Amino acid sequence: SVGIPGVHRLDLASMKFDTFVPYRDMPRGQEHSVYGIKADSQNNLFFFDFSADLVGKIDAKSGQITLFKTPTPNSNPRRGYMDKEDRLWFTEYRANKLAMLDTKTEKFTEWPLPTAFTYPYDVMPDKNGELWTAGMSTDRVVRLDPKTGQATEYQLPRNTNVRRVFVDNSTTPVTFWAGGNHSAEIVKVEPLD
């Protein structure tokens, strides 16, 4: 929502809106924003507070709002992908990390990226369980194995500034796709292993 730092839900049968304002009771002094929303298999809504270090949940049935603090302070969580196991994958932009919130256990896991100031914008898991991201400033695509923390970086040939990332799981090996935000190009990475 642009007008409030909150979320609106529309009931299609009644055409009535519910409005949720998760930061209403937060102390003054730090801005908060809803940045990126994803629903789990029970239609609970999860959102990111890009201005700070919070991941929020709005319970679909009760409307109760819960805020979870990321392990790294001021991490600036953003974007996200909810997998079929209700794990919420996202980036911690300012912290230079990839992260996952297991929505069933409400526990976080974080993985640092190998190159400082990568500023990851988006993350996507592939069919092999590896995570793919790219940076807004290092011109690199990163493939990270969350089991080992081992990362492989693919240096791009020019200034790229990647925002959204996509993985084509129908290929073997998987294929990574992204747009070059400042270069009017489409980026394709095909790993050789």
Side-chain angles (χ1 to χ4, degrees), residues 36-38 40 44-47 56-57 68 82 88 101 103:
I37 59 173
K38 299 293 173 188
D40 69 9
N44 299 307
L45 186 77
F46 289 82
F47 58 90
K57 174 186 176 184
F68 305 98
M82 184 72 71
L88 182 60
L101 172 63
T103 64

Side-chain angles (χ1 to χ4, degrees), residues 127-128 143 168-176 190-193:
K127 66 183 178 184
N128 304 312
R143 180 180 67 170
D168 181 354
N169 283 308
S170 70
T171 62
T172 303
V174 300
T175 306
F176 171 90
E190 296 175 298
L192 299 177
D193 56 341

